[in-house]
Amino acid sequence: MTRPLPWSFSALNGFTTCPHRHLEVKVLKHFADESGEAAQWGTYVHKCIEDAITDGAPMPENTHVYGPQVWSAINGLEVARAEVKLAINTAFEPVPWEQRWCGSISDVLKVLGREAWGIDWKLGK
């Protein structure tokens, strides 16, 4: 028996937007998933935020506008982690990313005892 394709909010959103494109790009992989200029900018800003949180790297000048939102949202680097992969199987048990049935990558995960905040930056629409 084959394992079901993993899904995520992004995958469902892509399917809702255009089921045929989702089939051709994500399932059958007949075409590369090419990103436009806005998506490339978003990837760049996400990486700058990740580096600032993970390594304490200064954010580049062209991303300074996002700084106040980032630092306000995480309010303390000691409990914040960037680009955390979370995955579950069909029994809703935590599993390694490669074995996921459903997965999510949190831009920032902030764990405070038994509670956690998952933050997802949105730069576009």
Side-chain angles (χ1 to χ4, degrees):
M1 183 172 131
T2 61
R3 189 168 70 90
L5 286 174
W7 65 275
S8 65
F9 174 79
S10 298
L12 292 177
N13 191 44
F15 175 80
T16 301
T17 302
C18 183
H20 186 72
R21 181 183 187 284
H22 178 79
L23 173 68
E24 292 289 340
V25 174
K26 297 293 187 180
V27 178
L28 301 176
K29 300 186 186 303
H30 287 162
F31 303 97
D33 192 4
E34 297 184 15
S35 57
E37 188 175 322
Q40 291 172 6
W41 170 252
T43 299
Y44 168 75
V45 173
H46 274 73
K47 179 65 174 148
C48 293
I49 293 170
E50 176 185 0
D51 292 346
I53 292 169
T54 303
D55 304 326
M59 290 181 62
E61 191 170 326
N62 62 348
T63 64
H64 280 185
V65 68
Y66 303 107
Q69 296 169 350
V70 170
W71 307 128
S72 173
I74 65 174
N75 191 24
L77 289 174
E78 66 278 358
V79 293
R81 293 175 42 216
E83 298 299 316
V84 178
K85 292 181 177 181
L86 304 168
I88 60 172
N89 60 19
T90 56
F92 298 96
E93 300 164 329
V95 294
W97 184 255
E98 297 74 24
Q99 297 173 13
R100 75 191 180 281
W101 166 67
C102 177
S104 175
I105 302 175
S106 295
D107 291 335
V108 176
L109 183 65
K110 197 174 158 177
V111 179
L112 302 166
R114 293 178 51 90
E115 296 181 0
W117 293 1
I119 301 170
D120 188 46
W121 310 117
K122 293 298 179 203
L123 303 174
K125 59 182 178 180

PDB file of all heavy atoms in Angstrom, residues 33-48 62-63 66 123-124:
ATOM      1  N   ASP A  33       7.731  24.113  -9.931  1.00  0.00           N
ATOM      2  CA  ASP A  33       6.937  25.104  -9.202  1.00  0.00           C
ATOM      3  C   ASP A  33       7.726  26.408  -9.188  1.00  0.00           C
ATOM      4  O   ASP A  33       8.548  26.642  -8.301  1.00  0.00           O
ATOM      5  CB  ASP A  33       6.655  24.617  -7.780  1.00  0.00           C
ATOM      6  CG  ASP A  33       5.613  25.449  -7.087  1.00  0.00           C
ATOM      7  OD1 ASP A  33       5.042  26.372  -7.719  1.00  0.00           O
ATOM      8  OD2 ASP A  33       5.361  25.199  -5.896  1.00  0.00           O
ATOM      9  N   GLU A  34       7.526  27.227 -10.201  1.00  0.00           N
ATOM     10  CA  GLU A  34       8.290  28.460 -10.335  1.00  0.00           C
ATOM     11  C   GLU A  34       7.623  29.576  -9.552  1.00  0.00           C
ATOM     12  O   GLU A  34       6.417  29.745  -9.593  1.00  0.00           O
ATOM     13  CB  GLU A  34       8.411  28.841 -11.806  1.00  0.00           C
ATOM     14  CG  GLU A  34       9.182  27.791 -12.602  1.00  0.00           C
ATOM     15  CD  GLU A  34       9.398  28.181 -14.038  1.00  0.00           C
ATOM     16  OE1 GLU A  34       9.206  29.364 -14.375  1.00  0.00           O
ATOM     17  OE2 GLU A  34       9.754  27.288 -14.832  1.00  0.00           O
ATOM     18  N   SER A  35       8.452  30.335  -8.854  1.00  0.00           N
ATOM     19  CA  SER A  35       7.916  31.430  -8.053  1.00  0.00           C
ATOM     20  C   SER A  35       8.175  32.759  -8.746  1.00  0.00           C
ATOM     21  O   SER A  35       9.195  32.956  -9.407  1.00  0.00           O
ATOM     22  CB  SER A  35       8.543  31.420  -6.654  1.00  0.00           C
ATOM     23  OG  SER A  35       9.942  31.495  -6.752  1.00  0.00           O
ATOM     24  N   GLY A  36       7.246  33.667  -8.552  1.00  0.00           N
ATOM     25  CA  GLY A  36       7.360  34.992  -9.129  1.00  0.00           C
ATOM     26  C   GLY A  36       8.214  35.907  -8.268  1.00  0.00           C
ATOM     27  O   GLY A  36       8.751  35.517  -7.223  1.00  0.00           O
ATOM     28  N   GLU A  37       8.310  37.153  -8.700  1.00  0.00           N
ATOM     29  CA  GLU A  37       9.145  38.135  -8.005  1.00  0.00           C
ATOM     30  C   GLU A  37       8.679  38.361  -6.567  1.00  0.00           C
ATOM     31  O   GLU A  37       9.499  38.433  -5.647  1.00  0.00           O
ATOM     32  CB  GLU A  37       9.121  39.451  -8.779  1.00  0.00           C
ATOM     33  CG  GLU A  37      10.102  40.474  -8.270  1.00  0.00           C
ATOM     34  CD  GLU A  37      10.125  41.727  -9.140  1.00  0.00           C
ATOM     35  OE1 GLU A  37      10.013  41.601 -10.371  1.00  0.00           O
ATOM     36  OE2 GLU A  37      10.261  42.817  -8.569  1.00  0.00           O
ATOM     37  N   ALA A  38       7.380  38.437  -6.348  1.00  0.00           N
ATOM     38  CA  ALA A  38       6.859  38.656  -4.995  1.00  0.00           C
ATOM     39  C   ALA A  38       7.187  37.476  -4.084  1.00  0.00           C
ATOM     40  O   ALA A  38       7.575  37.663  -2.921  1.00  0.00           O
ATOM     41  CB  ALA A  38       5.348  38.900  -5.040  1.00  0.00           C
ATOM     42  N   ALA A  39       7.056  36.264  -4.599  1.00  0.00           N
ATOM     43  CA  ALA A  39       7.372  35.075  -3.798  1.00  0.00           C
ATOM     44  C   ALA A  39       8.867  35.013  -3.484  1.00  0.00           C
ATOM     45  O   ALA A  39       9.263  34.631  -2.375  1.00  0.00           O
ATOM     46  CB  ALA A  39       6.928  33.810  -4.526  1.00  0.00           C
ATOM     47  N   GLN A  40       9.699  35.405  -4.430  1.00  0.00           N
ATOM     48  CA  GLN A  40      11.146  35.418  -4.191  1.00  0.00           C
ATOM     49  C   GLN A  40      11.508  36.447  -3.111  1.00  0.00           C
ATOM     50  O   GLN A  40      12.365  36.182  -2.267  1.00  0.00           O
ATOM     51  CB  GLN A  40      11.895  35.701  -5.491  1.00  0.00           C
ATOM     52  CG  GLN A  40      11.800  34.557  -6.475  1.00  0.00           C
ATOM     53  CD  GLN A  40      12.373  34.892  -7.838  1.00  0.00           C
ATOM     54  OE1 GLN A  40      12.960  35.949  -8.044  1.00  0.00           O
ATOM     55  NE2 GLN A  40      12.189  33.986  -8.779  1.00  0.00           N
ATOM     56  N   TRP A  41      10.849  37.602  -3.139  1.00  0.00           N
ATOM     57  CA  TRP A  41      11.067  38.610  -2.096  1.00  0.00           C
ATOM     58  C   TRP A  41      10.646  38.045  -0.738  1.00  0.00           C
ATOM     59  O   TRP A  41      11.347  38.178   0.252  1.00  0.00           O
ATOM     60  CB  TRP A  41      10.300  39.887  -2.406  1.00  0.00           C
ATOM     61  CG  TRP A  41      10.298  40.870  -1.272  1.00  0.00           C
ATOM     62  CD1 TRP A  41       9.242  41.182  -0.470  1.00  0.00           C
ATOM     63  CD2 TRP A  41      11.404  41.632  -0.794  1.00  0.00           C
ATOM     64  NE1 TRP A  41       9.621  42.100   0.481  1.00  0.00           N
ATOM     65  CE2 TRP A  41      10.942  42.397   0.305  1.00  0.00           C
ATOM     66  CE3 TRP A  41      12.736  41.750  -1.175  1.00  0.00           C
ATOM     67  CZ2 TRP A  41      11.766  43.269   1.018  1.00  0.00           C
ATOM     68  CZ3 TRP A  41      13.557  42.619  -0.468  1.00  0.00           C
ATOM     69  CH2 TRP A  41      13.071  43.352   0.613  1.00  0.00           C
ATOM     70  N   GLY A  42       9.518  37.387  -0.681  1.00  0.00           N
ATOM     71  CA  GLY A  42       9.039  36.789   0.562  1.00  0.00           C
ATOM     72  C   GLY A  42      10.004  35.755   1.104  1.00  0.00           C
ATOM     73  O   GLY A  42      10.286  35.707   2.301  1.00  0.00           O
ATOM     74  N   THR A  43      10.555  34.929   0.213  1.00  0.00           N
ATOM     75  CA  THR A  43      11.536  33.923   0.627  1.00  0.00           C
ATOM     76  C   THR A  43      12.781  34.603   1.196  1.00  0.00           C
ATOM     77  O   THR A  43      13.319  34.181   2.223  1.00  0.00           O
ATOM     78  CB  THR A  43      11.916  33.022  -0.570  1.00  0.00           C
ATOM     79  OG1 THR A  43      10.729  32.365  -1.025  1.00  0.00           O
ATOM     80  CG2 THR A  43      12.960  31.992  -0.191  1.00  0.00           C
ATOM     81  N   TYR A  44      13.220  35.678   0.557  1.00  0.00           N
ATOM     82  CA  TYR A  44      14.392  36.423   1.018  1.00  0.00           C
ATOM     83  C   TYR A  44      14.152  37.014   2.409  1.00  0.00           C
ATOM     84  O   TYR A  44      14.981  36.862   3.307  1.00  0.00           O
ATOM     85  CB  TYR A  44      14.723  37.526   0.009  1.00  0.00           C
ATOM     86  CG  TYR A  44      15.718  38.540   0.502  1.00  0.00           C
ATOM     87  CD1 TYR A  44      17.078  38.218   0.593  1.00  0.00           C
ATOM     88  CD2 TYR A  44      15.316  39.814   0.870  1.00  0.00           C
ATOM     89  CE1 TYR A  44      17.989  39.150   1.049  1.00  0.00           C
ATOM     90  CE2 TYR A  44      16.227  40.755   1.321  1.00  0.00           C
ATOM     91  CZ  TYR A  44      17.567  40.416   1.414  1.00  0.00           C
ATOM     92  OH  TYR A  44      18.468  41.339   1.865  1.00  0.00           O
ATOM     93  N   VAL A  45      13.010  37.658   2.598  1.00  0.00           N
ATOM     94  CA  VAL A  45      12.709  38.274   3.896  1.00  0.00           C
ATOM     95  C   VAL A  45      12.580  37.205   4.976  1.00  0.00           C
ATOM     96  O   VAL A  45      13.090  37.371   6.087  1.00  0.00           O
ATOM     97  CB  VAL A  45      11.439  39.152   3.819  1.00  0.00           C
ATOM     98  CG1 VAL A  45      11.041  39.642   5.197  1.00  0.00           C
ATOM     99  CG2 VAL A  45      11.662  40.321   2.879  1.00  0.00           C
ATOM    100  N   HIS A  46      11.923  36.104   4.674  1.00  0.00           N
ATOM    101  CA  HIS A  46      11.809  35.001   5.635  1.00  0.00           C
ATOM    102  C   HIS A  46      13.194  34.509   6.061  1.00  0.00           C
ATOM    103  O   HIS A  46      13.429  34.236   7.234  1.00  0.00           O
ATOM    104  CB  HIS A  46      11.006  33.836   5.039  1.00  0.00           C
ATOM    105  CG  HIS A  46       9.532  33.963   5.202  1.00  0.00           C
ATOM    106  ND1 HIS A  46       8.786  34.845   4.475  1.00  0.00           N
ATOM    107  CD2 HIS A  46       8.664  33.318   6.012  1.00  0.00           C
ATOM    108  CE1 HIS A  46       7.525  34.735   4.829  1.00  0.00           C
ATOM    109  NE2 HIS A  46       7.422  33.814   5.767  1.00  0.00           N
ATOM    110  N   LYS A  47      14.103  34.376   5.097  1.00  0.00           N
ATOM    111  CA  LYS A  47      15.456  33.911   5.408  1.00  0.00           C
ATOM    112  C   LYS A  47      16.193  34.933   6.283  1.00  0.00           C
ATOM    113  O   LYS A  47      16.909  34.555   7.223  1.00  0.00           O
ATOM    114  CB  LYS A  47      16.226  33.651   4.109  1.00  0.00           C
ATOM    115  CG  LYS A  47      17.653  33.196   4.320  1.00  0.00           C
ATOM    116  CD  LYS A  47      17.734  31.841   5.004  1.00  0.00           C
ATOM    117  CE  LYS A  47      19.180  31.371   5.063  1.00  0.00           C
ATOM    118  NZ  LYS A  47      19.458  30.568   6.249  1.00  0.00           N
ATOM    119  N   CYS A  48      16.014  36.214   6.018  1.00  0.00           N
ATOM    120  CA  CYS A  48      16.635  37.261   6.841  1.00  0.00           C
ATOM    121  C   CYS A  48      16.105  37.200   8.275  1.00  0.00           C
ATOM    122  O   CYS A  48      16.878  37.320   9.241  1.00  0.00           O
ATOM    123  CB  CYS A  48      16.370  38.643   6.247  1.00  0.00           C
ATOM    124  SG  CYS A  48      17.195  38.920   4.666  1.00  0.00           S
ATOM    125  N   ASN A  62      17.349  46.710   3.707  1.00  0.00           N
ATOM    126  CA  ASN A  62      16.109  46.677   2.924  1.00  0.00           C
ATOM    127  C   ASN A  62      14.993  45.880   3.602  1.00  0.00           C
ATOM    128  O   ASN A  62      13.885  45.795   3.084  1.00  0.00           O
ATOM    129  CB  ASN A  62      16.362  46.166   1.502  1.00  0.00           C
ATOM    130  CG  ASN A  62      16.885  44.741   1.463  1.00  0.00           C
ATOM    131  OD1 ASN A  62      17.287  44.171   2.481  1.00  0.00           O
ATOM    132  ND2 ASN A  62      16.890  44.161   0.279  1.00  0.00           N
ATOM    133  N   THR A  63      15.268  45.287   4.768  1.00  0.00           N
ATOM    134  CA  THR A  63      14.227  44.566   5.507  1.00  0.00           C
ATOM    135  C   THR A  63      13.929  45.214   6.864  1.00  0.00           C
ATOM    136  O   THR A  63      13.167  44.656   7.644  1.00  0.00           O
ATOM    137  CB  THR A  63      14.626  43.092   5.738  1.00  0.00           C
ATOM    138  OG1 THR A  63      15.791  43.042   6.576  1.00  0.00           O
ATOM    139  CG2 THR A  63      14.898  42.375   4.434  1.00  0.00           C
ATOM    140  N   TYR A  66      10.480  45.440   8.624  1.00  0.00           N
ATOM    141  CA  TYR A  66       9.870  44.286   9.279  1.00  0.00           C
ATOM    142  C   TYR A  66      10.381  44.073  10.703  1.00  0.00           C
ATOM    143  O   TYR A  66       9.776  43.341  11.481  1.00  0.00           O
ATOM    144  CB  TYR A  66      10.105  43.011   8.462  1.00  0.00           C
ATOM    145  CG  TYR A  66       9.583  43.120   7.051  1.00  0.00           C
ATOM    146  CD1 TYR A  66      10.455  43.243   5.980  1.00  0.00           C
ATOM    147  CD2 TYR A  66       8.219  43.131   6.803  1.00  0.00           C
ATOM    148  CE1 TYR A  66       9.981  43.362   4.683  1.00  0.00           C
ATOM    149  CE2 TYR A  66       7.736  43.248   5.513  1.00  0.00           C
ATOM    150  CZ  TYR A  66       8.629  43.369   4.456  1.00  0.00           C
ATOM    151  OH  TYR A  66       8.145  43.486   3.184  1.00  0.00           O
ATOM    152  N   LEU A 123       3.741  38.412   3.922  1.00  0.00           N
ATOM    153  CA  LEU A 123       4.293  39.632   3.325  1.00  0.00           C
ATOM    154  C   LEU A 123       3.507  40.100   2.113  1.00  0.00           C
ATOM    155  O   LEU A 123       3.698  41.206   1.665  1.00  0.00           O
ATOM    156  CB  LEU A 123       5.748  39.386   2.920  1.00  0.00           C
ATOM    157  CG  LEU A 123       6.671  38.935   4.049  1.00  0.00           C
ATOM    158  CD1 LEU A 123       8.034  38.579   3.516  1.00  0.00           C
ATOM    159  CD2 LEU A 123       6.785  40.021   5.102  1.00  0.00           C
ATOM    160  N   GLY A 124       2.679  39.258   1.571  1.00  0.00           N
ATOM    161  CA  GLY A 124       1.954  39.615   0.354  1.00  0.00           C
ATOM    162  C   GLY A 124       0.463  39.711   0.612  1.00  0.00           C
ATOM    163  O   GLY A 124       0.021  40.275   1.597  1.00  0.00           O
TER     164      GLY A 124
END
